[in-house]
Amino acid sequence: MQWLLYIADIKKQRDREIMACAIVPLDEQQVTEPNVVGKDRTLPALHPDRKEERCFVPYKPPPEDGSPAQVEEFLEHAKFITEDLEWLLALPHDKFWCQVVFDETLQKCLDSYLRHASRGLDPAAGLPCSPAVAEAQRHIHRAVFMTFLRMATHKESRENFLTPSVFGEIIYENFLFDIPKILDLCVLFGKGNTQLLHKMIENIFTQQPGYYSDLDEAVPSVLQVFDTILDKCGLQCEGAGAMEPMKLSANGRPTAMTMSQQDLLDLVLYLCDSTTTIHAFLDIYPPACSTFQSHSFLSRLVSFYESAVPDIEKAVRKRNFTDKSLKEDLWKRMCHSCKRMVEVAHLLLQHACLQPILEGGDNIQTFAEELLQHFTSFLPEKRFLSDYDEQFPIADDISLLQQALPLIDETRTSYLLQGVQSAWDSVGRSRPRGHTQTHGLPAAQGGAAGGRASPLGLRESGEGWETPRGAEASQYMPHKGNNGAAGSLGAGELESLLSSIRELLPDLGEGFLLACLQEYDYSSELVINNILEDRLAPGLDQLDRAMPRAPKEELPPVLSERSNVFDDDEFDVFHRDKVDMSRIWKGRRKGESAQEVLGDKQHIDAQRDRYRAYENVVDEVMVEPGAVYTLDGDYDDEYDDTYDVNQVGANDLDGDSLLSRRPFTLPLVLRTGNKAQFELEEEEEEEDTRPMENQNPNHAPRDQFCQDPALLRERAEARRAAFHQKKGFRPEPAGSVAGSVVGKPKGQGQTQETLQDRRKKEASKGRGANHNRRNMADRKRNKGMIPS
């Protein structure tokens, strides 16, 4: 038995080796089939003769009017397409690729669906349709997606596969995929199939790198979209076109305000479709961001946003449309386009800068510097910067940089944050409350995904947007007489808002309505819609709906705290109930002349009794014998009797004797001479008045009218020497005279005194006579009077 088992194992191993040798890629396989005459022939597995004869009908969109005949025709047409694609998907691997490569009708069918299928943003997408039409659309949508998915797979199983290089050549040379098709696939099938589409596009770009060069050539065409929109709006194009001179006929081009209504509609649809497609592609396949960024796509996008968006929004707001729903639809599409452009800018920054910083590495400093440079370039674009910060707060990115690089320049980051705040102020908007961090995480977690309402008023749903309901729609539409912010509301305007709301909802309290108005930026439309739809914020939903208004705090009266120097006088009307009005008149008092005013002596009579007490002064009081006399007043112990006995000045000398005590001194203010000179004179006067040492101090000094001149000169010389010594002055040597400049004969050397005297003489030439000729000549030459 053992040898039988051994033989069986050998046979199985041999069978495996035979099968391994038989497994070859489809592009190398050969098949034997009978020809038209019945003889066998050997053909490659991929050969046009192996294609099945089957005609694939092109796709047509559903009818807009919904007539029964057209609906029946569409359903029959959709049934043909669905059955043909399901038959194609059921074919084996070799037959499938023969049909895909060599059947032109199949490619026309698939291309027609990519071209005519309704996107989520198309006007036809919002039209009502029958359940049968919707079901047929879903079947076609699924069949087309599965067909493209199988076309992008080069290996289906271990036995069924294509050589990767041959696969890339087949899809590239036969135009099974190209950049426009890939963009349409992303925008049509992106919702709910992000991972499948990412693997599909990644496999296409990996197996055929030529698509990268095609994408590089397609980016300028995408940028041309922005230039076309700017040109239609009559704005200056960026890039190479901006350097061209403007034509004379350019001044007559229509603008967003002057173009026809249909042209404006087409322009907004074109912008909305383009931005949505670009965002879908970059969101599904982020590696393409590098190719876009190599063409400075981010700077061009920001510049386009700042130039075109305000102009188009102004046209949508201010133009009169015959159909009000059309105006609302255009406004929603503009909001959606703005949101997509902001998200595209974030995707570019996320892939180029933020993601490498989160992953770490050796070049974090380089990526951080690049991110700061991008943010700095956003500062002049106020509108774009405020919208970007509203959706992706820049403060969160800066916080991420500070965590990754603690040594980042604080001055630069503060400057960026101040620039962001300045952008909000310049556009006249305030930052939304509850500004939370939405990124600084991996790319899959950032952004406005998961059905969350975006700051621009659109909610992702299905394949397009979900139209905001009620208050959300009114929040982003331009209102007539917008209520504005609380800072611009007066008391009358606030009362008007409350009365307009209470006319519709009289059972609500004013306190509750005031809280609602404050929450919704004082927009009465938002408050009414949210109350009626029961969609108030959690904080408002917990309030008592009958809550009255809080009473106003009464300010203390100003008069009670008033303080004035005229308080409680005869004219203080705030504290007196009665005021003598005869004392009050305006202008000159009537009935009185100047003579009467001067002749009025009432004030003198009023003072007469006061001074009458000082008329009689009694020096002596005669006391009669036997009479008792008492003083009229009490004894004043505080009376100063110092000068009652002493006769002040009685013993003083008469005449000018007071001047002999102290000499006259000229005040310092009136002196015009040198300070040292006056000090010397004062010392001389003090010396003259000082008594001699040998004299008797008890006797008066002798008359010094005539003194010895030699003594006076000696004293003056002594005072002068003392003064010079005090000031540190060194007198000139005795031999230093004018003749000492001659010195000794030449060749015998000169003394130090001679050299010093010569220098003094040279320096003092200009003080007198005609010795300042040199200085005057230099002065004339400096002023240009004498040519040099």
Side-chain angles (χ1 to χ4, degrees):
M1 290 296 293
Q2 293 182 353
W3 65 274
L4 291 175
L5 294 175
Y6 177 72
I7 294 174
D9 293 339
I10 293 176
K11 186 177 180 181
K12 289 181 180 180
Q13 185 176 2
R14 186 179 61 181
D15 293 340
R16 292 193 192 99
E17 292 176 354
I18 294 174
M19 291 181 63
C21 295
I23 297 175
V24 294
L26 180 62
D27 52 276
E28 298 178 5
Q29 292 181 11
Q30 300 288 330
V31 294
T32 303
E33 292 182 354
N35 56 10
V36 291
V37 297
K39 293 183 179 181
D40 294 340
R41 61 174 179 173
T42 302
L43 297 175
L46 292 175
H47 195 273
D49 292 344
R50 302 193 65 205
K51 174 179 68 71
E52 298 289 341
E53 294 297 332
R54 194 179 186 97
C55 182
F56 291 84
V57 296
Y59 170 81
K60 292 182 180 179
E64 296 182 1
D65 54 359
S67 61
Q70 292 181 346
V71 169
E72 184 179 357
E73 180 184 0
F74 170 77
L75 292 177
E76 184 178 2
H77 203 83
K79 182 180 179 182
F80 292 153
I81 297 176
T82 305
E83 290 178 352
D84 291 342
L85 293 179
E86 290 178 351
W87 170 83
L88 176 67
L89 293 172
L91 291 176
H93 185 253
D94 56 340
K95 289 287 187 179
F96 172 82
W97 278 104
C98 288
Q99 203 73 28
V100 167
V101 174
F102 302 113
D103 193 346
E104 295 182 358
T105 61
L106 172 62
Q107 297 303 321
K108 291 181 180 179
C109 175
L110 297 177
D111 291 347
S112 64
Y113 184 80
L114 296 181
R115 184 181 301 111
H116 299 294
S118 176
R119 277 74 169 162
L121 307 177
D122 290 344
L127 297 177
C129 59
S130 62
V133 173
E135 186 69 19
Q137 282 283 88
R138 283 194 293 270
H139 285 299
I140 297 176
H141 190 79
R142 182 182 183 278
V144 172
F145 176 67
M146 296 302 296
T147 302
F148 277 109
L149 186 61
R150 189 175 182 185
M151 289 167 54
T153 306
H154 71 282
K155 185 177 181 180
E156 295 182 1
S157 63
R158 185 170 177 271
E159 295 82 9
N160 301 322
F161 65 95
L162 284 166
T163 304
S165 60
V166 177
F167 167 77
E169 185 178 354
I170 290 175
I171 63 175
Y172 191 78
E173 296 298 334
N174 294 280
F175 297 95
L176 301 184
F177 291 98
D178 53 26
I179 298 301
K181 285 184 180 180
I182 294 174
L183 294 176
D184 288 335
L185 288 173
C186 292
V187 74
L188 282 173
F189 305 103
K191 290 299 179 182
N193 304 301
T194 302
Q195 295 182 356
L196 285 176
L197 276 172
H198 176 78
K199 292 181 180 180
M200 168 179 161
I201 298 175
E202 185 180 21
N203 188 51
I204 293 173
F205 277 85
T206 303
Q207 307 306 332
Q208 181 49 263
Y211 283 106
Y212 281 107
S213 60
D214 291 351
L215 179 62
D216 188 70
E217 296 177 359
V219 173
S221 300
V222 177
L223 292 174
Q224 187 62 34
V225 173
F226 299 151
D227 294 339
T228 302
I229 296 176
L230 289 173
D231 184 68
K232 293 293 183 181
C233 296
L235 302 174
Q236 183 69 25
C237 301
E238 297 289 340
M243 303 304 296
E244 300 177 358
M246 184 179 294
K247 299 180 180 179
L248 295 177
S249 60
N251 294 328
R253 290 183 302 179
T255 62
M257 288 294 296
T258 59
M259 67 175 58
S260 64
Q261 181 173 317
Q262 184 62 39
D263 291 342
L264 180 61
L265 175 61
D266 294 341
L267 186 70
V268 174
L269 290 176
Y270 183 46
L271 174 62
C272 187
D273 181 69
S274 301
T275 55
T276 304
T277 303
I278 297 171
H279 172 265
F281 175 63
L282 294 180
D283 187 31
I284 292 172
Y285 190 61
C289 294
S290 302
T291 306
F292 276 76
Q293 193 59 17
S294 64
H295 292 266
S296 301
F297 187 84
L298 181 59
S299 60
R300 293 286 298 276
L301 175 66
V302 173
S303 178
F304 168 79
Y305 191 99
E306 192 71 17
S307 301
V309 169
D311 193 67
I312 300 176
E313 284 186 350
K314 179 181 177 182
V316 174
R317 284 197 308 266
K318 294 190 175 182
R319 291 188 59 164
N320 295 323
F321 292 87
T322 56
D323 188 3
K324 297 299 182 182
S325 61
L326 177 61
K327 182 174 184 178
E328 183 178 355
D329 182 70
L330 290 179
W331 183 259
K332 293 177 188 176
R333 294 181 187 277
M334 278 304 301
C335 292
H336 180 80
S337 302
C338 295
K339 178 175 180 291
R340 290 306 183 207
M341 284 188 281
V342 170
E343 290 178 349
V344 167
H346 179 67
L347 284 173
L348 295 174
L349 291 178
Q350 180 82 17
H351 179 77
C353 304
L354 292 174
Q355 195 66 29
I357 294 175
L358 290 174
E359 294 174 355
D362 299 334
N363 298 326
I364 295 181
Q365 183 69 34
T366 304
F367 294 119
E369 181 65 24
E370 184 179 356
L371 180 64
L372 292 177
Q373 288 180 359
H374 284 302
F375 285 156
T376 305
S377 65
F378 293 168
L379 293 182
E381 319 297 343
K382 304 295 185 181
R383 172 62 190 277
F384 174 82
L385 184 59
S386 59
D387 290 349
Y388 183 91
D389 184 67
E390 180 181 8
Q391 200 164 350
F392 304 100
I394 294 179
D396 295 346
D397 293 336
I398 293 180
S399 176
L400 173 65
L401 291 181
Q402 291 174 345
Q403 295 176 12
L405 297 172
L407 300 179
I408 193 171
D409 188 2
E410 293 291 340
T411 304
R412 191 172 183 182
T413 56
S414 300
Y415 172 75
L416 287 175
L417 294 178
Q418 292 175 3
V420 173
Q421 183 61 43
S422 175
W424 282 96
D425 297 338
S426 62
V427 298
R429 297 162 59 190
S430 58
R431 288 191 177 185
R433 294 182 296 272
H435 221 198
T436 58
Q437 181 176 352
T438 58
H439 61 290
L441 300 171
Q445 301 180 15
R452 180 176 58 86
S454 69
L456 297 176
L458 299 173
R459 179 179 286 107
E460 302 291 345
S461 174
E463 302 172 7
W465 73 49
E466 176 184 342
T467 304
R469 298 186 293 116
E472 290 183 3
S474 62
Q475 180 178 2
Y476 303 103
M477 282 296 294
H479 302 291
K480 294 182 179 179
N482 189 8
N483 298 325
S488 60
L489 282 180
E493 293 175 327
L494 185 60
E495 294 296 334
S496 177
L497 289 177
L498 288 174
S499 61
S500 63
I501 299 175
R502 296 204 68 185
E503 288 178 359
L504 298 175
L505 307 169
D507 56 329
L508 300 180
E510 291 186 357
F512 175 74
L513 294 179
L514 281 176
C516 295
L517 286 172
Q518 185 177 4
E519 176 68 22
Y520 294 105
D521 293 334
Y522 293 85
S523 175
S524 57
E525 294 87 349
L526 283 175
V527 173
I528 294 174
N529 288 329
N530 282 294
I531 292 176
L532 293 178
E533 297 177 3
D534 198 14
R535 299 176 59 193
L536 291 173
L540 297 176
D541 203 16
Q542 298 176 0
L543 295 178
D544 182 12
R545 300 205 171 193
M547 180 176 61
R549 183 191 295 192
K552 295 183 179 180
E553 297 181 0
E554 295 184 359
L555 298 176
V558 180
L559 296 178
S560 62
E561 299 180 358
R562 172 177 172 267
S563 179
N564 197 287
V565 295
F566 301 106
D567 286 348
D568 298 325
D569 64 359
E570 56 178 329
F571 300 110
D572 189 1
V573 295
F574 299 108
H575 295 85
R576 291 179 179 270
D577 296 334
K578 294 182 179 180
V579 178
D580 187 5
M581 299 302 296
S582 62
R583 299 287 308 278
I584 302 173
W585 62 87
K586 182 178 180 181
R588 186 175 180 180
R589 190 171 186 179
K590 298 180 180 180
E592 293 185 1
S593 61
Q595 189 67 27
E596 293 178 353
V597 172
L598 296 176
D600 187 6
K601 305 299 181 180
Q602 295 181 1
H603 61 287
I604 297 178
D605 296 338
Q607 300 293 332
R608 192 181 302 278
D609 295 337
R610 179 179 178 181
Y611 290 98
R612 188 170 294 166
Y614 301 98
E615 289 183 354
N616 299 327
V617 178
V618 181
D619 295 335
E620 295 181 358
V621 178
M622 300 301 295
V623 179
E624 296 181 0
V628 179
Y629 179 76
T630 58
L631 297 176
D632 295 337
D634 297 332
Y635 173 72
D636 187 4
D637 188 58
E638 299 297 331
Y639 178 73
D640 189 3
D641 56 354
T642 304
Y643 301 101
D644 290 351
V645 177
N646 298 332
Q647 299 180 4
V648 180
N651 297 327
D652 294 342
L653 299 177
D654 297 334
D656 297 337
S657 58
L658 291 176
L659 298 177
S660 62
R661 296 185 179 183
R662 186 176 183 275
F664 175 75
T665 303
L666 185 67
L668 294 175
V669 179
L670 302 178
R671 297 182 182 182
T672 58
N674 191 7
K675 179 179 178 182
Q677 179 181 354
F678 283 104
E679 292 179 356
L680 183 60
E681 292 178 356
E682 291 178 358
E683 291 179 0
E684 292 178 356
E685 293 176 356
E686 292 178 1
E687 290 289 343
D688 295 340
T689 57
R690 190 179 304 159
M692 300 298 293
E693 294 180 358
N694 55 358
Q695 291 181 352
N696 189 0
N698 296 327
H699 295 281
R702 292 185 304 170
D703 187 8
Q704 302 292 339
F705 179 74
C706 294
Q707 295 187 25
D708 187 4
L711 182 59
L712 294 178
R713 286 194 297 271
E714 183 180 354
R715 291 178 180 176
E717 185 65 26
R719 286 194 300 270
R720 191 176 299 107
F723 175 75
H724 288 168
Q725 184 179 5
K726 180 180 178 181
K727 296 297 181 180
F729 176 76
R730 295 177 58 186
E732 297 182 357
S736 179
V737 294
S740 62
V741 298
V742 179
K744 298 179 180 180
K746 187 175 182 181
Q748 299 181 7
Q750 304 295 335
T751 61
Q752 186 67 23
E753 290 78 4
T754 302
L755 297 176
Q756 185 176 1
D757 291 340
R758 288 179 180 179
R759 285 195 299 270
K760 289 183 178 180
K761 180 179 179 181
E762 182 68 21
S764 303
K765 280 184 177 181
R767 289 193 300 174
N770 199 19
H771 297 292
N772 59 347
R773 289 176 295 176
R774 181 183 301 172
N775 296 335
M776 296 304 294
D778 294 340
R779 181 180 179 186
K780 291 181 179 180
R781 184 177 296 105
N782 293 335
K783 291 187 177 182
M785 301 173 65
I786 301 176
S788 301

